[in-house]
Amino acid sequence: MFPALQATLAESIAAILVVGALLFGAGWLSRTIRSDGRGGARGRAGSRANGRNRAGDASRSDGGTRASRLTRLRARLPYDPIRWLTTVNHRDVGTLYFAFALVAALWGGTDALMIRTELLTPGTTVWDEQTYNALFTTHGLTMLFFFVTPAFTGVANYFLPLFVGADEMAFPRVNALAFWLLPPSLLLVRAGLVTEVFGKAVAALGPRLEVLFLLEPPTTGWTMYAPLSIMQANPQVDLMLLGLHLSGVATILGAVNIIVTVLVDRDPEVTWATIDILSWTLFTTAGIILFAFPVLGSALVMLVMDRNFGTTFFLVEGGGPILWQHLFWFFGHPEVYILVLPAFGLVSLILPKFAGRTLFGFKFIVYSTLAIGVLSFGVWAHHMFATGIDPRLQSSFMAVTLAIAVPSAVKTFNWITTLWNGKIRLTAPMILCIGGVGLFVVGGVTGVVLASIPVDRVLHGTYYVVGHFHFIVMGVIAMMVFAASYYWFPLLTRRMYDRRMARVQAYTLIIGVFVTFFPMLLLGMGGHPRRWAEYASALGVHPTWPVLHWTATGGAAIIGISVTLWLFNVAQSARVGTPVTTGDPWDLKETGQFSREWAWFEERLAERRRRTTSGTEED
């Protein structure tokens, strides 16, 4: 009779039930925690009293303490949730970063597979244009801000204190705070999808809550160019901007911690001359972050104000849309080096271990790292050659863009020279190092081509740029994330992974990356614009485009299989892998490359062995 009223009542009842359930849960949790606190206090008081009356209380053989129900429940769990929620230990925080980066990588990787699925057919037959635009927007943001950056921050948290001889990061609580800002920022960026899925789940059980469908996944592209990002009325765009701002704050806090740890908490024996190459790259990366991320944060705030408060920072009547591009790319291109420098550091660290030789030209690699850190702020406008900025500025930025290729080439030369006449062991980390260097060469050379102004104007809006960028991101950055996971797997889990499966995974990943992104270079040179959901109208002129897209999608499937192999291997090996009984599982002492983190691991194993022998701990 009154369908609108009925719908309103139904929504209200459902909302009341949800809110009631949340309040009930919060109340139960609060009461349980208070009860736990009282129990702990009674336990402590009992312990003190029992200390005074120990002889007369035979019933409390544990010294008088009494665990609450929550404490006993926590003790029965395989992992203590309270410990992981409140920890400030640098290794625990590093592990949390690894777990978070893994979740983000799988989420962003699913976006990529959905994009490639749509491009199997020339028309929009799988997803509509809106969904396609949302997919490449969230894919880029998730992988850059919530996968790669947290993964390398996790490496810094876990290993930097071990490398520089510090007991802990300089500001442990700030360190934990920086991590816990990331989950809400990721949820803010992807809130549109989360609320939509939740809304559909609720609708399947009963009423449809329209409030859960107000947010739509953002379709601005990961560059968020104005005026498109200002004109979209979708409130999810505001949440996305706030989420990115929050992640920037977290990244800056982490960078400050890294810098202060290296400057202040370094062991006196670790001088600037003896500091390891990975710490050098992490230190340089943190310095870039301090200059780049505040610019992004300021630009995001201005964009939010343009959208909501009538300012005109990026509108024609104010600063103009080009101002957004200047600010974004002043952050955006250093961000590429924020991502790639730790990967370079991992290559420089891991590759010599399995080449049987020390790193060739250590000082030159350090100098090239510092040079990249400085030059990275002088190349942003090469992303804007097609916008019509002053030709004299274009020439200067072209020169700097070509110049920054020199320190990258120095690194590549030193890596290849390190391999020369070495005793190479083709373990999974080494295969990934060699494959990563090779794919990086492809990505670097194709990037030098784009530094040329006339070529860039032709290729800028095509798949060529996508292919070049992904040869860097997937070719060396993701490759070194996998290599590091294998290299430090014994240290992290005290078990060894399945080596044969790891080698298969490494080879398939290299093949998958090449098969996926090389066709994109060909598509770009053929004039295929990027960010097109359909290309049916161009088939008469370019009949080869479907074949190249099928090939790229096949490569993406190979990458998916490879990642699945890695997941299965590390999960299964962490559970039942062969236990590691030595602190030198890679025989690094033979070549004099037994580094500080393995020395720490060896001491830890020896300590554990002593406790086991004395009967205080079961192995």
Side-chain angles (χ1 to χ4, degrees):
M1 184 175 178
F2 301 104
L5 180 61
Q6 289 174 354
T8 304
L9 284 174
E11 290 179 11
S12 302
I13 293 171
I16 290 170
L17 290 175
V18 170
V19 172
L22 291 174
L23 289 175
F24 177 78
W28 175 84
L29 183 61
S30 173
R31 191 182 62 176
T32 307
I33 291 175
R34 287 200 304 272
S35 171
D36 181 55
R38 288 195 295 271
R42 285 197 299 270
R44 289 189 294 272
S47 179
R48 290 193 295 269
N50 196 53
R52 293 191 296 268
N53 305 299
R54 190 181 302 275
D57 190 357
S59 63
R60 295 183 178 180
S61 58
D62 62 348
T65 59
R66 185 175 62 183
S68 67
R69 282 184 299 173
L70 181 59
T71 303
R72 293 196 298 273
L73 175 63
R74 287 168 54 187
R76 285 197 294 269
L77 294 174
Y79 299 101
D80 184 354
I82 303 299
R83 173 204 163 193
W84 287 102
L85 288 171
T86 58
T87 181
V88 295
N89 179 277
H90 71 95
R91 295 194 304 278
D92 288 348
V93 175
T95 305
L96 289 172
Y97 269 110
F98 295 149
F100 177 82
L102 176 62
V103 171
L106 295 177
W107 202 347
T110 303
D111 291 337
L113 291 176
M114 292 172 71
I115 292 171
R116 294 310 317 171
T117 304
E118 167 56 38
L119 294 172
L120 276 173
T121 58
T124 52
T125 53
V126 182
W127 319 111
D128 57 25
E129 290 89 346
Q130 183 84 1
T131 303
Y132 182 84
N133 291 343
L135 284 173
F136 68 69
T137 299
T138 52
H139 166 69
L141 295 174
T142 303
M143 298 304 261
L144 294 180
F145 288 90
F146 300 107
F147 162 45
V148 180
T149 305
F152 289 140
T153 308
V155 169
N157 269 281
Y158 202 105
F159 293 103
L160 186 66
L162 304 182
F163 277 123
V164 301
D167 294 331
E168 184 51 87
M169 295 296 283
F171 308 113
R173 286 176 176 77
V174 174
N175 203 31
L177 173 65
F179 169 76
W180 285 111
L181 289 177
L182 286 177
S185 62
L186 175 60
L187 288 177
L188 283 172
V189 170
R190 310 221 43 162
L193 178 63
V194 174
T195 55
E196 182 181 349
V197 171
F198 187 59
K200 288 182 177 178
V202 173
L205 298 174
R208 176 184 170 88
L209 302 177
E210 292 299 335
V211 67
L212 295 175
F213 295 93
L214 290 177
L215 302 177
E216 297 175 356
T219 57
T220 60
W222 78 275
T223 53
M224 299 167 282
Y225 278 166
L228 176 65
S229 55
I230 299 174
M231 295 168 62
Q232 291 190 0
N234 180 11
Q236 169 58 40
V237 177
D238 294 307
L239 295 182
M240 177 189 74
L241 298 176
L242 293 174
L244 292 176
H245 190 77
L246 202 59
S247 76
V249 173
T251 306
I252 292 171
L253 292 177
V256 170
N257 234 329
I258 291 171
I259 291 173
V260 178
T261 301
V262 173
L263 290 177
V264 178
D265 287 354
R266 202 172 66 247
D267 189 284
E269 294 181 356
V270 182
T271 65
W272 289 109
T274 59
I275 196 170
D276 66 285
I277 191 64
L278 180 61
S279 299
W280 267 112
T281 55
L282 293 173
F283 182 73
T284 307
T285 303
I288 301 175
I289 288 172
L290 284 193
F291 288 97
F293 268 83
V295 176
L296 174 68
S298 304
L300 291 173
V301 171
M302 288 189 278
L303 194 57
V304 170
M305 295 180 70
D306 275 6
R307 285 179 51 84
N308 298 282
F309 300 105
T311 57
T312 57
F313 291 110
F314 305 122
L315 294 177
V316 175
E317 54 269 36
I322 299 299
L323 176 60
W324 168 262
Q325 294 196 33
H326 278 297
L327 293 175
F328 180 82
W329 287 116
F330 186 83
F331 150 80
H333 203 84
E335 166 70 2
V336 174
Y337 295 101
I338 289 169
L339 304 179
V340 80
L341 276 181
F344 287 167
L346 288 171
V347 176
S348 301
L349 178 77
I350 298 174
L351 186 140
K353 310 288 187 187
F354 300 100
R357 297 186 60 196
T358 56
L359 182 63
F360 180 83
F362 179 91
K363 288 184 179 179
F364 289 100
I365 288 189
V366 173
Y367 295 151
S368 66
T369 301
L370 297 174
I372 289 174
V374 174
L375 291 174
S376 65
F377 288 96
V379 296
W380 82 86
H382 81 234
H383 293 274
M384 302 166 61
F385 286 160
T387 60
I389 60 175
D390 191 314
R392 291 165 294 183
L393 285 177
Q394 293 185 28
S395 300
S396 62
F397 278 101
M398 182 181 76
V400 180
T401 304
L402 291 172
I404 204 171
V406 175
S408 300
V410 168
K411 287 178 180 295
T412 307
F413 173 78
N414 283 303
W415 294 331
I416 295 173
T417 311
T418 303
L419 294 173
W420 194 263
N421 285 333
K423 292 176 61 178
I424 297 174
R425 291 180 288 164
L426 285 179
T427 60
M430 187 60 163
I431 294 168
L432 289 163
C433 282
I434 296 174
V437 172
L439 294 170
F440 169 69
V441 170
V442 178
V445 170
T446 52
V448 171
V449 172
L450 285 175
S452 171
I453 297 169
V455 176
D456 182 80
R457 287 183 177 173
V458 174
L459 297 176
H460 180 75
T462 70
Y463 262 102
Y464 184 90
V465 176
V466 182
H468 148 68
F469 181 66
H470 281 84
F471 264 109
I472 302 291
V473 175
M474 279 299 295
V476 65
I477 296 175
M479 207 72 71
M480 293 318 302
V481 171
F482 285 107
S485 71
Y486 286 130
Y487 176 62
W488 282 316
F489 190 84
L491 185 149
L492 295 170
T493 65
R494 297 201 306 274
R495 293 184 183 276
M496 181 55 75
Y497 57 82
D498 187 314
R499 302 188 186 211
R500 180 181 297 177
M501 189 183 299
R503 284 195 294 272
V504 171
Q505 187 270 328
Y507 285 124
T508 52
L509 184 65
I510 295 168
I511 294 170
V513 170
F514 190 83
V515 173
T516 302
F517 300 112
F518 191 75
M520 293 188 187
L521 298 176
L522 300 178
L523 284 167
M525 287 190 285
H528 194 317
R530 53 179 170 170
R531 297 178 172 177
W532 273 20
E534 67 88 23
Y535 48 94
S537 58
L539 287 186
V541 183
H542 303 285
T544 60
W545 283 4
V547 177
L548 293 172
H549 275 302
W550 296 339
T551 306
T553 304
I558 294 174
I559 294 175
I561 293 170
S562 178
V563 173
T564 305
L565 276 177
W566 177 83
L567 276 173
F568 177 79
N569 193 356
V570 297
Q572 185 70 357
S573 299
R575 195 171 65 87
V576 296
T578 305
V580 174
T581 57
T582 171
D584 186 19
W586 301 117
D587 299 326
L588 301 178
K589 291 180 179 176
E590 293 180 5
T591 55
Q593 299 190 70
F594 190 67
S595 44
R596 283 175 170 270
E597 83 276 26
W598 292 110
W600 168 84
F601 180 58
E602 189 175 49
E603 292 175 5
R604 197 179 181 200
L605 280 182
E607 176 65 24
R608 182 180 178 82
R609 201 171 293 121
R610 281 194 296 272
R611 290 201 304 267
T612 305
T613 305
S614 64
T616 56
E617 182 176 330
E618 294 182 359
D619 194 7

